[in-house]
PDB file of all heavy atoms in Angstrom:
ATOM      1  N   SER W 542      18.504  66.395 -13.178  1.00 89.00           N
ATOM      2  CA  SER W 542      18.018  67.527 -13.966  1.00 89.00           C
ATOM      3  C   SER W 542      17.206  68.541 -13.158  1.00 89.00           C
ATOM      4  O   SER W 542      16.921  69.611 -13.668  1.00 89.00           O
ATOM      5  CB  SER W 542      17.175  67.026 -15.143  1.00 89.00           C
ATOM      6  OG  SER W 542      15.940  66.508 -14.687  1.00 89.00           O
ATOM      7  N   ILE W 543      16.845  68.207 -11.923  1.00 90.00           N
ATOM      8  CA  ILE W 543      16.053  69.172 -11.154  1.00 90.00           C
ATOM      9  C   ILE W 543      16.981  70.090 -10.358  1.00 90.00           C
ATOM     10  O   ILE W 543      18.125  69.749 -10.071  1.00 90.00           O
ATOM     11  CB  ILE W 543      15.020  68.488 -10.233  1.00 90.00           C
ATOM     12  CG1 ILE W 543      15.672  67.684  -9.129  1.00 90.00           C
ATOM     13  CG2 ILE W 543      14.064  67.642 -11.042  1.00 90.00           C
ATOM     14  CD1 ILE W 543      14.694  67.140  -8.104  1.00 90.00           C
ATOM     15  N   LYS W 544      16.472  71.256 -10.017  1.00 92.00           N
ATOM     16  CA  LYS W 544      17.255  72.270  -9.317  1.00 92.00           C
ATOM     17  C   LYS W 544      17.149  72.085  -7.803  1.00 92.00           C
ATOM     18  O   LYS W 544      16.201  71.466  -7.311  1.00 92.00           O
ATOM     19  CB  LYS W 544      16.755  73.664  -9.693  1.00 92.00           C
ATOM     20  CG  LYS W 544      16.932  73.979 -11.153  1.00 92.00           C
ATOM     21  CD  LYS W 544      16.344  75.318 -11.494  1.00 92.00           C
ATOM     22  CE  LYS W 544      16.451  75.564 -12.988  1.00 92.00           C
ATOM     23  NZ  LYS W 544      15.738  76.743 -13.399  1.00 92.00           N
ATOM     24  N   ILE W 545      18.099  72.660  -7.085  1.00 92.00           N
ATOM     25  CA  ILE W 545      18.079  72.624  -5.624  1.00 92.00           C
ATOM     26  C   ILE W 545      16.794  73.272  -5.127  1.00 92.00           C
ATOM     27  O   ILE W 545      16.394  74.333  -5.596  1.00 92.00           O
ATOM     28  CB  ILE W 545      19.310  73.352  -5.052  1.00 92.00           C
ATOM     29  CG1 ILE W 545      20.579  72.599  -5.437  1.00 92.00           C
ATOM     30  CG2 ILE W 545      19.207  73.489  -3.535  1.00 92.00           C
ATOM     31  CD1 ILE W 545      21.857  73.319  -5.100  1.00 92.00           C
ATOM     32  N   GLY W 546      16.136  72.603  -4.188  1.00 92.00           N
ATOM     33  CA  GLY W 546      14.885  73.101  -3.627  1.00 92.00           C
ATOM     34  C   GLY W 546      13.643  72.591  -4.333  1.00 92.00           C
ATOM     35  O   GLY W 546      12.545  72.709  -3.803  1.00 92.00           O
ATOM     36  N   GLU W 547      13.801  72.051  -5.522  1.00 93.00           N
ATOM     37  CA  GLU W 547      12.653  71.517  -6.247  1.00 93.00           C
ATOM     38  C   GLU W 547      12.220  70.181  -5.672  1.00 93.00           C
ATOM     39  O   GLU W 547      13.029  69.426  -5.129  1.00 93.00           O
ATOM     40  CB  GLU W 547      12.975  71.324  -7.729  1.00 93.00           C
ATOM     41  CG  GLU W 547      12.909  72.581  -8.538  1.00 93.00           C
ATOM     42  CD  GLU W 547      13.049  72.310 -10.029  1.00 93.00           C
ATOM     43  OE1 GLU W 547      13.925  71.530 -10.419  1.00 93.00           O
ATOM     44  OE2 GLU W 547      12.251  72.898 -10.779  1.00 93.00           O
ATOM     45  N   LYS W 548      10.950  69.902  -5.840  1.00 94.00           N
ATOM     46  CA  LYS W 548      10.374  68.635  -5.402  1.00 94.00           C
ATOM     47  C   LYS W 548       9.966  67.830  -6.625  1.00 94.00           C
ATOM     48  O   LYS W 548       9.670  68.398  -7.676  1.00 94.00           O
ATOM     49  CB  LYS W 548       9.139  68.879  -4.545  1.00 94.00           C
ATOM     50  CG  LYS W 548       9.415  69.618  -3.271  1.00 94.00           C
ATOM     51  CD  LYS W 548       8.129  69.899  -2.547  1.00 94.00           C
ATOM     52  CE  LYS W 548       8.359  70.844  -1.397  1.00 94.00           C
ATOM     53  NZ  LYS W 548       7.085  71.239  -0.789  1.00 94.00           N
ATOM     54  N   ILE W 549       9.949  66.515  -6.446  1.00 93.00           N
ATOM     55  CA  ILE W 549       9.517  65.633  -7.516  1.00 93.00           C
ATOM     56  C   ILE W 549       8.605  64.567  -6.924  1.00 93.00           C
ATOM     57  O   ILE W 549       8.888  64.025  -5.857  1.00 93.00           O
ATOM     58  CB  ILE W 549      10.716  65.011  -8.259  1.00 93.00           C
ATOM     59  CG1 ILE W 549      10.256  64.168  -9.450  1.00 93.00           C
ATOM     60  CG2 ILE W 549      11.601  64.213  -7.338  1.00 93.00           C
ATOM     61  CD1 ILE W 549      11.367  63.758 -10.382  1.00 93.00           C
ATOM     62  N   LEU W 550       7.498  64.321  -7.592  1.00 96.00           N
ATOM     63  CA  LEU W 550       6.565  63.260  -7.209  1.00 96.00           C
ATOM     64  C   LEU W 550       6.844  62.074  -8.103  1.00 96.00           C
ATOM     65  O   LEU W 550       6.785  62.185  -9.324  1.00 96.00           O
ATOM     66  CB  LEU W 550       5.118  63.720  -7.366  1.00 96.00           C
ATOM     67  CG  LEU W 550       4.057  62.645  -7.154  1.00 96.00           C
ATOM     68  CD1 LEU W 550       4.068  62.152  -5.708  1.00 96.00           C
ATOM     69  CD2 LEU W 550       2.693  63.158  -7.528  1.00 96.00           C
ATOM     70  N   ILE W 551       7.172  60.944  -7.496  1.00 95.00           N
ATOM     71  CA  ILE W 551       7.514  59.730  -8.227  1.00 95.00           C
ATOM     72  C   ILE W 551       6.417  58.712  -8.013  1.00 95.00           C
ATOM     73  O   ILE W 551       5.983  58.494  -6.872  1.00 95.00           O
ATOM     74  CB  ILE W 551       8.847  59.160  -7.719  1.00 95.00           C
ATOM     75  CG1 ILE W 551       9.954  60.194  -7.882  1.00 95.00           C
ATOM     76  CG2 ILE W 551       9.193  57.859  -8.412  1.00 95.00           C
ATOM     77  CD1 ILE W 551      11.050  60.062  -6.889  1.00 95.00           C
ATOM     78  N   THR W 552       5.962  58.089  -9.088  1.00 95.00           N
ATOM     79  CA  THR W 552       5.014  56.987  -8.974  1.00 95.00           C
ATOM     80  C   THR W 552       5.626  55.758  -9.617  1.00 95.00           C
ATOM     81  O   THR W 552       6.288  55.853 -10.650  1.00 95.00           O
ATOM     82  CB  THR W 552       3.665  57.304  -9.648  1.00 95.00           C
ATOM     83  OG1 THR W 552       3.881  57.553 -11.026  1.00 95.00           O
ATOM     84  CG2 THR W 552       2.986  58.500  -9.003  1.00 95.00           C
ATOM     85  N   SER W 553       5.415  54.593  -8.971  1.00 95.00           N
ATOM     86  CA  SER W 553       5.977  53.356  -9.491  1.00 95.00           C
ATOM     87  C   SER W 553       5.177  52.172  -8.970  1.00 95.00           C
ATOM     88  O   SER W 553       4.648  52.202  -7.859  1.00 95.00           O
ATOM     89  CB  SER W 553       7.436  53.220  -9.048  1.00 95.00           C
ATOM     90  OG  SER W 553       7.966  51.990  -9.477  1.00 95.00           O
ATOM     91  N   ASP W 554       5.124  51.128  -9.793  1.00 94.00           N
ATOM     92  CA  ASP W 554       4.486  49.887  -9.357  1.00 94.00           C
ATOM     93  C   ASP W 554       5.522  48.801  -9.060  1.00 94.00           C
ATOM     94  O   ASP W 554       5.185  47.646  -8.854  1.00 94.00           O
ATOM     95  CB  ASP W 554       3.480  49.403 -10.394  1.00 94.00           C
ATOM     96  CG  ASP W 554       4.076  49.217 -11.776  1.00 94.00           C
ATOM     97  OD1 ASP W 554       5.272  49.510 -11.963  1.00 94.00           O
ATOM     98  OD2 ASP W 554       3.345  48.800 -12.675  1.00 94.00           O
ATOM     99  N   ASP W 555       6.795  49.176  -9.012  1.00 92.00           N
ATOM    100  CA  ASP W 555       7.888  48.253  -8.701  1.00 92.00           C
ATOM    101  C   ASP W 555       7.970  48.066  -7.186  1.00 92.00           C
ATOM    102  O   ASP W 555       8.146  49.037  -6.448  1.00 92.00           O
ATOM    103  CB  ASP W 555       9.203  48.811  -9.236  1.00 92.00           C
ATOM    104  CG  ASP W 555      10.394  47.890  -9.021  1.00 92.00           C
ATOM    105  OD1 ASP W 555      10.203  46.770  -8.514  1.00 92.00           O
ATOM    106  OD2 ASP W 555      11.512  48.303  -9.366  1.00 92.00           O
ATOM    107  N   ILE W 556       7.846  46.840  -6.714  1.00 90.00           N
ATOM    108  CA  ILE W 556       7.818  46.597  -5.269  1.00 90.00           C
ATOM    109  C   ILE W 556       9.176  46.812  -4.599  1.00 90.00           C
ATOM    110  O   ILE W 556       9.237  46.987  -3.393  1.00 90.00           O
ATOM    111  CB  ILE W 556       7.295  45.178  -4.950  1.00 90.00           C
ATOM    112  CG1 ILE W 556       8.172  44.112  -5.600  1.00 90.00           C
ATOM    113  CG2 ILE W 556       5.844  45.030  -5.359  1.00 90.00           C
ATOM    114  CD1 ILE W 556       7.828  42.695  -5.188  1.00 90.00           C
ATOM    115  N   THR W 557      10.251  46.848  -5.355  1.00 90.00           N
ATOM    116  CA  THR W 557      11.576  47.059  -4.763  1.00 90.00           C
ATOM    117  C   THR W 557      11.939  48.530  -4.603  1.00 90.00           C
ATOM    118  O   THR W 557      12.925  48.854  -3.945  1.00 90.00           O
ATOM    119  CB  THR W 557      12.667  46.386  -5.611  1.00 90.00           C
ATOM    120  OG1 THR W 557      12.704  46.986  -6.899  1.00 90.00           O
ATOM    121  CG2 THR W 557      12.416  44.894  -5.738  1.00 90.00           C
ATOM    122  N   ILE W 558      11.147  49.424  -5.154  1.00 91.00           N
ATOM    123  CA  ILE W 558      11.525  50.840  -5.162  1.00 91.00           C
ATOM    124  C   ILE W 558      11.490  51.467  -3.765  1.00 91.00           C
ATOM    125  O   ILE W 558      12.246  52.389  -3.486  1.00 91.00           O
ATOM    126  CB  ILE W 558      10.678  51.660  -6.159  1.00 91.00           C
ATOM    127  CG1 ILE W 558      11.361  52.991  -6.441  1.00 91.00           C
ATOM    128  CG2 ILE W 558       9.261  51.851  -5.656  1.00 91.00           C
ATOM    129  CD1 ILE W 558      10.832  53.747  -7.617  1.00 91.00           C
ATOM    130  N   ASN W 559      10.662  50.975  -2.879  1.00 90.00           N
ATOM    131  CA  ASN W 559      10.591  51.542  -1.535  1.00 90.00           C
ATOM    132  C   ASN W 559      11.958  51.500  -0.856  1.00 90.00           C
ATOM    133  O   ASN W 559      12.433  52.511  -0.326  1.00 90.00           O
ATOM    134  CB  ASN W 559       9.542  50.801  -0.694  1.00 90.00           C
ATOM    135  CG  ASN W 559       9.310  51.460   0.640  1.00 90.00           C
ATOM    136  OD1 ASN W 559       9.286  52.674   0.746  1.00 90.00           O
ATOM    137  ND2 ASN W 559       9.144  50.652   1.658  1.00 90.00           N
ATOM    138  N   LYS W 560      12.581  50.371  -0.869  1.00 91.00           N
ATOM    139  CA  LYS W 560      13.910  50.215  -0.269  1.00 91.00           C
ATOM    140  C   LYS W 560      14.943  51.069  -1.004  1.00 91.00           C
ATOM    141  O   LYS W 560      15.789  51.717  -0.376  1.00 91.00           O
ATOM    142  CB  LYS W 560      14.315  48.746  -0.316  1.00 91.00           C
ATOM    143  CG  LYS W 560      15.644  48.444   0.279  1.00 91.00           C
ATOM    144  CD  LYS W 560      15.936  46.965   0.184  1.00 91.00           C
ATOM    145  CE  LYS W 560      17.343  46.648   0.627  1.00 91.00           C
ATOM    146  NZ  LYS W 560      17.667  45.237   0.450  1.00 91.00           N
ATOM    147  N   GLU W 561      14.873  51.095  -2.313  1.00 92.00           N
ATOM    148  CA  GLU W 561      15.841  51.837  -3.120  1.00 92.00           C
ATOM    149  C   GLU W 561      15.736  53.345  -2.911  1.00 92.00           C
ATOM    150  O   GLU W 561      16.747  54.039  -2.839  1.00 92.00           O
ATOM    151  CB  GLU W 561      15.665  51.503  -4.603  1.00 92.00           C
ATOM    152  CG  GLU W 561      15.966  50.068  -4.942  1.00 92.00           C
ATOM    153  CD  GLU W 561      17.430  49.701  -4.746  1.00 92.00           C
ATOM    154  OE1 GLU W 561      18.300  50.567  -4.928  1.00 92.00           O
ATOM    155  OE2 GLU W 561      17.699  48.539  -4.419  1.00 92.00           O
ATOM    156  N   ILE W 562      14.528  53.870  -2.811  1.00 92.00           N
ATOM    157  CA  ILE W 562      14.355  55.313  -2.606  1.00 92.00           C
ATOM    158  C   ILE W 562      14.852  55.720  -1.226  1.00 92.00           C
ATOM    159  O   ILE W 562      15.503  56.751  -1.074  1.00 92.00           O
ATOM    160  CB  ILE W 562      12.890  55.735  -2.843  1.00 92.00           C
ATOM    161  CG1 ILE W 562      12.641  55.757  -4.341  1.00 92.00           C
ATOM    162  CG2 ILE W 562      12.586  57.088  -2.211  1.00 92.00           C
ATOM    163  CD1 ILE W 562      11.337  56.318  -4.790  1.00 92.00           C
ATOM    164  N   LYS W 563      14.569  54.924  -0.220  1.00 91.00           N
ATOM    165  CA  LYS W 563      15.078  55.232   1.125  1.00 91.00           C
ATOM    166  C   LYS W 563      16.602  55.237   1.128  1.00 91.00           C
ATOM    167  O   LYS W 563      17.231  56.114   1.719  1.00 91.00           O
ATOM    168  CB  LYS W 563      14.538  54.233   2.132  1.00 91.00           C
ATOM    169  CG  LYS W 563      13.073  54.441   2.426  1.00 91.00           C
ATOM    170  CD  LYS W 563      12.552  53.428   3.404  1.00 91.00           C
ATOM    171  CE  LYS W 563      11.067  53.636   3.652  1.00 91.00           C
ATOM    172  NZ  LYS W 563      10.520  52.617   4.553  1.00 91.00           N
ATOM    173  N   PHE W 564      17.212  54.263   0.469  1.00 91.00           N
ATOM    174  CA  PHE W 564      18.660  54.194   0.372  1.00 91.00           C
ATOM    175  C   PHE W 564      19.212  55.417  -0.366  1.00 91.00           C
ATOM    176  O   PHE W 564      20.180  56.036   0.074  1.00 91.00           O
ATOM    177  CB  PHE W 564      19.071  52.903  -0.345  1.00 91.00           C
ATOM    178  CG  PHE W 564      20.547  52.705  -0.432  1.00 91.00           C
ATOM    179  CD1 PHE W 564      21.262  52.237   0.660  1.00 91.00           C
ATOM    180  CD2 PHE W 564      21.224  52.970  -1.612  1.00 91.00           C
ATOM    181  CE1 PHE W 564      22.639  52.055   0.577  1.00 91.00           C
ATOM    182  CE2 PHE W 564      22.598  52.786  -1.703  1.00 91.00           C
ATOM    183  CZ  PHE W 564      23.303  52.323  -0.603  1.00 91.00           C
ATOM    184  N   LEU W 565      18.586  55.788  -1.472  1.00 89.00           N
ATOM    185  CA  LEU W 565      19.003  56.948  -2.250  1.00 89.00           C
ATOM    186  C   LEU W 565      18.970  58.217  -1.402  1.00 89.00           C
ATOM    187  O   LEU W 565      19.920  59.002  -1.407  1.00 89.00           O
ATOM    188  CB  LEU W 565      18.093  57.110  -3.479  1.00 89.00           C
ATOM    189  CG  LEU W 565      18.316  58.358  -4.324  1.00 89.00           C
ATOM    190  CD1 LEU W 565      19.595  58.232  -5.135  1.00 89.00           C
ATOM    191  CD2 LEU W 565      17.138  58.582  -5.248  1.00 89.00           C
ATOM    192  N   CYS W 566      17.899  58.411  -0.650  1.00 91.00           N
ATOM    193  CA  CYS W 566      17.767  59.620   0.165  1.00 91.00           C
ATOM    194  C   CYS W 566      18.734  59.624   1.349  1.00 91.00           C
ATOM    195  O   CYS W 566      19.208  60.682   1.751  1.00 91.00           O
ATOM    196  CB  CYS W 566      16.331  59.776   0.643  1.00 91.00           C
ATOM    197  SG  CYS W 566      15.197  60.188  -0.699  1.00 91.00           S
ATOM    198  N   ASN W 567      19.038  58.469   1.898  1.00 89.00           N
ATOM    199  CA  ASN W 567      19.968  58.406   3.022  1.00 89.00           C
ATOM    200  C   ASN W 567      21.397  58.725   2.617  1.00 89.00           C
ATOM    201  O   ASN W 567      22.173  59.229   3.424  1.00 89.00           O
ATOM    202  CB  ASN W 567      19.924  57.029   3.691  1.00 89.00           C
ATOM    203  CG  ASN W 567      18.706  56.843   4.548  1.00 89.00           C
ATOM    204  OD1 ASN W 567      18.122  57.790   5.030  1.00 89.00           O
ATOM    205  ND2 ASN W 567      18.305  55.601   4.730  1.00 89.00           N
ATOM    206  N   PHE W 568      21.759  58.442   1.373  1.00 89.00           N
ATOM    207  CA  PHE W 568      23.140  58.594   0.947  1.00 89.00           C
ATOM    208  C   PHE W 568      23.336  59.609  -0.172  1.00 89.00           C
ATOM    209  O   PHE W 568      24.403  59.642  -0.782  1.00 89.00           O
ATOM    210  CB  PHE W 568      23.705  57.224   0.527  1.00 89.00           C
ATOM    211  CG  PHE W 568      23.772  56.266   1.675  1.00 89.00           C
ATOM    212  CD1 PHE W 568      22.815  55.282   1.824  1.00 89.00           C
ATOM    213  CD2 PHE W 568      24.772  56.378   2.623  1.00 89.00           C
ATOM    214  CE1 PHE W 568      22.861  54.405   2.899  1.00 89.00           C
ATOM    215  CE2 PHE W 568      24.837  55.508   3.702  1.00 89.00           C
ATOM    216  CZ  PHE W 568      23.880  54.518   3.838  1.00 89.00           C
ATOM    217  N   SER W 569      22.344  60.441  -0.426  1.00 89.00           N
ATOM    218  CA  SER W 569      22.450  61.442  -1.488  1.00 89.00           C
ATOM    219  C   SER W 569      21.920  62.780  -0.995  1.00 89.00           C
ATOM    220  O   SER W 569      21.615  62.939   0.172  1.00 89.00           O
ATOM    221  CB  SER W 569      21.669  60.990  -2.722  1.00 89.00           C
ATOM    222  OG  SER W 569      22.211  59.807  -3.244  1.00 89.00           O
ATOM    223  N   ASN W 570      21.764  63.705  -1.906  1.00 89.00           N
ATOM    224  CA  ASN W 570      21.340  65.071  -1.576  1.00 89.00           C
ATOM    225  C   ASN W 570      19.840  65.271  -1.741  1.00 89.00           C
ATOM    226  O   ASN W 570      19.400  66.263  -2.299  1.00 89.00           O
ATOM    227  CB  ASN W 570      22.103  66.056  -2.466  1.00 89.00           C
ATOM    228  CG  ASN W 570      23.587  65.948  -2.271  1.00 89.00           C
ATOM    229  OD1 ASN W 570      24.058  65.789  -1.149  1.00 89.00           O
ATOM    230  ND2 ASN W 570      24.329  66.010  -3.349  1.00 89.00           N
ATOM    231  N   TYR W 571      19.065  64.306  -1.234  1.00 93.00           N
ATOM    232  CA  TYR W 571      17.615  64.365  -1.369  1.00 93.00           C
ATOM    233  C   TYR W 571      16.976  64.021  -0.033  1.00 93.00           C
ATOM    234  O   TYR W 571      17.520  63.263   0.752  1.00 93.00           O
ATOM    235  CB  TYR W 571      17.129  63.385  -2.443  1.00 93.00           C
ATOM    236  CG  TYR W 571      17.825  63.575  -3.752  1.00 93.00           C
ATOM    237  CD1 TYR W 571      18.908  62.785  -4.111  1.00 93.00           C
ATOM    238  CD2 TYR W 571      17.428  64.582  -4.618  1.00 93.00           C
ATOM    239  CE1 TYR W 571      19.572  62.982  -5.309  1.00 93.00           C
ATOM    240  CE2 TYR W 571      18.087  64.783  -5.818  1.00 93.00           C
ATOM    241  CZ  TYR W 571      19.164  63.985  -6.151  1.00 93.00           C
ATOM    242  OH  TYR W 571      19.819  64.193  -7.326  1.00 93.00           O
ATOM    243  N   ILE W 572      15.794  64.580   0.201  1.00 94.00           N
ATOM    244  CA  ILE W 572      15.012  64.276   1.393  1.00 94.00           C
ATOM    245  C   ILE W 572      13.700  63.646   0.943  1.00 94.00           C
ATOM    246  O   ILE W 572      13.030  64.172   0.054  1.00 94.00           O
ATOM    247  CB  ILE W 572      14.697  65.549   2.206  1.00 94.00           C
ATOM    248  CG1 ILE W 572      15.973  66.189   2.727  1.00 94.00           C
ATOM    249  CG2 ILE W 572      13.755  65.244   3.358  1.00 94.00           C
ATOM    250  CD1 ILE W 572      15.738  67.511   3.437  1.00 94.00           C
ATOM    251  N   LEU W 573      13.346  62.537   1.563  1.00 95.00           N
ATOM    252  CA  LEU W 573      12.050  61.905   1.309  1.00 95.00           C
ATOM    253  C   LEU W 573      11.024  62.633   2.160  1.00 95.00           C
ATOM    254  O   LEU W 573      11.031  62.539   3.383  1.00 95.00           O
ATOM    255  CB  LEU W 573      12.107  60.422   1.660  1.00 95.00           C
ATOM    256  CG  LEU W 573      10.822  59.625   1.455  1.00 95.00           C
ATOM    257  CD1 LEU W 573      10.374  59.670  -0.003  1.00 95.00           C
ATOM    258  CD2 LEU W 573      11.014  58.197   1.913  1.00 95.00           C
ATOM    259  N   LEU W 574      10.161  63.412   1.518  1.00 95.00           N
ATOM    260  CA  LEU W 574       9.172  64.210   2.229  1.00 95.00           C
ATOM    261  C   LEU W 574       7.909  63.414   2.550  1.00 95.00           C
ATOM    262  O   LEU W 574       7.298  63.611   3.600  1.00 95.00           O
ATOM    263  CB  LEU W 574       8.791  65.442   1.401  1.00 95.00           C
ATOM    264  CG  LEU W 574       9.923  66.416   1.088  1.00 95.00           C
ATOM    265  CD1 LEU W 574       9.431  67.483   0.126  1.00 95.00           C
ATOM    266  CD2 LEU W 574      10.463  67.031   2.369  1.00 95.00           C
ATOM    267  N   LYS W 575       7.516  62.559   1.624  1.00 96.00           N
ATOM    268  CA  LYS W 575       6.262  61.829   1.782  1.00 96.00           C
ATOM    269  C   LYS W 575       6.324  60.543   0.982  1.00 96.00           C
ATOM    270  O   LYS W 575       6.894  60.512  -0.106  1.00 96.00           O
ATOM    271  CB  LYS W 575       5.103  62.699   1.286  1.00 96.00           C
ATOM    272  CG  LYS W 575       3.746  62.113   1.473  1.00 96.00           C
ATOM    273  CD  LYS W 575       2.673  63.069   0.980  1.00 96.00           C
ATOM    274  CE  LYS W 575       1.308  62.443   1.093  1.00 96.00           C
ATOM    275  NZ  LYS W 575       0.262  63.307   0.565  1.00 96.00           N
ATOM    276  N   SER W 576       5.752  59.485   1.543  1.00 95.00           N
ATOM    277  CA  SER W 576       5.645  58.237   0.786  1.00 95.00           C
ATOM    278  C   SER W 576       4.280  57.618   1.035  1.00 95.00           C
ATOM    279  O   SER W 576       3.750  57.687   2.143  1.00 95.00           O
ATOM    280  CB  SER W 576       6.761  57.263   1.172  1.00 95.00           C
ATOM    281  OG  SER W 576       6.641  56.859   2.504  1.00 95.00           O
ATOM    282  N   GLU W 577       3.730  57.040   0.005  1.00 95.00           N
ATOM    283  CA  GLU W 577       2.445  56.337   0.071  1.00 95.00           C
ATOM    284  C   GLU W 577       2.684  54.941  -0.487  1.00 95.00           C
ATOM    285  O   GLU W 577       2.816  54.766  -1.703  1.00 95.00           O
ATOM    286  CB  GLU W 577       1.387  57.077  -0.733  1.00 95.00           C
ATOM    287  CG  GLU W 577       0.057  56.377  -0.803  1.00 95.00           C
ATOM    288  CD  GLU W 577      -0.555  56.095   0.558  1.00 95.00           C
ATOM    289  OE1 GLU W 577      -0.687  57.029   1.361  1.00 95.00           O
ATOM    290  OE2 GLU W 577      -0.894  54.927   0.817  1.00 95.00           O
ATOM    291  N   THR W 578       2.771  53.962   0.409  1.00 93.00           N
ATOM    292  CA  THR W 578       3.095  52.597  -0.007  1.00 93.00           C
ATOM    293  C   THR W 578       2.008  51.601   0.356  1.00 93.00           C
ATOM    294  O   THR W 578       2.248  50.400   0.330  1.00 93.00           O
ATOM    295  CB  THR W 578       4.434  52.160   0.618  1.00 93.00           C
ATOM    296  OG1 THR W 578       4.339  52.257   2.042  1.00 93.00           O
ATOM    297  CG2 THR W 578       5.585  53.010   0.119  1.00 93.00           C
ATOM    298  N   SER W 579       0.823  52.076   0.684  1.00 94.00           N
ATOM    299  CA  SER W 579      -0.253  51.172   1.074  1.00 94.00           C
ATOM    300  C   SER W 579      -0.962  50.543  -0.134  1.00 94.00           C
ATOM    301  O   SER W 579      -1.655  49.548   0.017  1.00 94.00           O
ATOM    302  CB  SER W 579      -1.266  51.890   1.956  1.00 94.00           C
ATOM    303  OG  SER W 579      -1.854  52.966   1.271  1.00 94.00           O
ATOM    304  N   LYS W 580      -0.791  51.141  -1.311  1.00 94.00           N
ATOM    305  CA  LYS W 580      -1.423  50.592  -2.510  1.00 94.00           C
ATOM    306  C   LYS W 580      -0.553  50.888  -3.723  1.00 94.00           C
ATOM    307  O   LYS W 580       0.249  51.816  -3.716  1.00 94.00           O
ATOM    308  CB  LYS W 580      -2.824  51.163  -2.706  1.00 94.00           C
ATOM    309  CG  LYS W 580      -2.857  52.657  -2.862  1.00 94.00           C
ATOM    310  CD  LYS W 580      -4.250  53.206  -3.003  1.00 94.00           C
ATOM    311  CE  LYS W 580      -4.155  54.710  -2.928  1.00 94.00           C
ATOM    312  NZ  LYS W 580      -4.825  55.407  -3.931  1.00 94.00           N
ATOM    313  N   ILE W 581      -0.725  50.076  -4.734  1.00 93.00           N
ATOM    314  CA  ILE W 581       0.010  50.251  -5.987  1.00 93.00           C
ATOM    315  C   ILE W 581      -0.814  51.129  -6.915  1.00 93.00           C
ATOM    316  O   ILE W 581      -2.012  50.919  -7.023  1.00 93.00           O
ATOM    317  CB  ILE W 581       0.301  48.881  -6.633  1.00 93.00           C
ATOM    318  CG1 ILE W 581       1.222  48.083  -5.726  1.00 93.00           C
ATOM    319  CG2 ILE W 581       0.902  49.031  -8.016  1.00 93.00           C
ATOM    320  CD1 ILE W 581       1.503  46.677  -6.186  1.00 93.00           C
ATOM    321  N   PRO W 582      -0.254  52.113  -7.584  1.00 94.00           N
ATOM    322  CA  PRO W 582       1.156  52.470  -7.628  1.00 94.00           C
ATOM    323  C   PRO W 582       1.588  53.227  -6.371  1.00 94.00           C
ATOM    324  O   PRO W 582       0.814  53.996  -5.802  1.00 94.00           O
ATOM    325  CB  PRO W 582       1.278  53.353  -8.862  1.00 94.00           C
ATOM    326  CG  PRO W 582      -0.073  53.987  -9.002  1.00 94.00           C
ATOM    327  CD  PRO W 582      -1.048  52.948  -8.486  1.00 94.00           C
ATOM    328  N   PHE W 583       2.817  52.983  -5.963  1.00 95.00           N
ATOM    329  CA  PHE W 583       3.396  53.683  -4.825  1.00 95.00           C
ATOM    330  C   PHE W 583       3.739  55.105  -5.259  1.00 95.00           C
ATOM    331  O   PHE W 583       4.002  55.354  -6.436  1.00 95.00           O
ATOM    332  CB  PHE W 583       4.667  52.976  -4.355  1.00 95.00           C
ATOM    333  CG  PHE W 583       4.483  51.508  -4.104  1.00 95.00           C
ATOM    334  CD1 PHE W 583       5.197  50.575  -4.820  1.00 95.00           C
ATOM    335  CD2 PHE W 583       3.580  51.059  -3.151  1.00 95.00           C
ATOM    336  CE1 PHE W 583       5.040  49.215  -4.591  1.00 95.00           C
ATOM    337  CE2 PHE W 583       3.409  49.706  -2.912  1.00 95.00           C
ATOM    338  CZ  PHE W 583       4.139  48.782  -3.635  1.00 95.00           C
ATOM    339  N   SER W 584       3.745  56.026  -4.306  1.00 96.00           N
ATOM    340  CA  SER W 584       4.139  57.394  -4.643  1.00 96.00           C
ATOM    341  C   SER W 584       5.079  57.937  -3.571  1.00 96.00           C
ATOM    342  O   SER W 584       4.956  57.613  -2.385  1.00 96.00           O
ATOM    343  CB  SER W 584       2.919  58.301  -4.798  1.00 96.00           C
ATOM    344  OG  SER W 584       2.243  58.444  -3.583  1.00 96.00           O
TER     345      SER W 584
END
């Protein structure tokens, strides 16, 4: 639902999301700009 060039901040407490987001960005039309995984919730 977001437009090209838009950014989205995602927060989650799911420990598996780190791997999934990296996979999504590697194989889709998204760039991971920033990640904070040192504490829950991850962003």
Side-chain angles (χ1 to χ4, degrees):
S542 71
I543 66 173
K544 297 176 184 172
I545 295 172
E547 280 188 315
K548 297 176 190 173
I549 184 168
L550 173 65
I551 302 152
T552 60
S553 177
D554 56 357
D555 183 4
I556 59 173
T557 63
I558 197 166
N559 187 39
K560 181 180 173 184
E561 295 294 328
I562 284 188
K563 288 179 182 177
F564 183 79
L565 174 74
C566 290
N567 284 335
F568 296 101
S569 297
N570 300 320
Y571 307 97
I572 297 175
L573 180 60
L574 299 173
K575 184 179 177 183
S576 65
E577 176 57 53
T578 58
S579 61
K580 60 182 171 131
I581 296 175
F583 308 119
S584 65

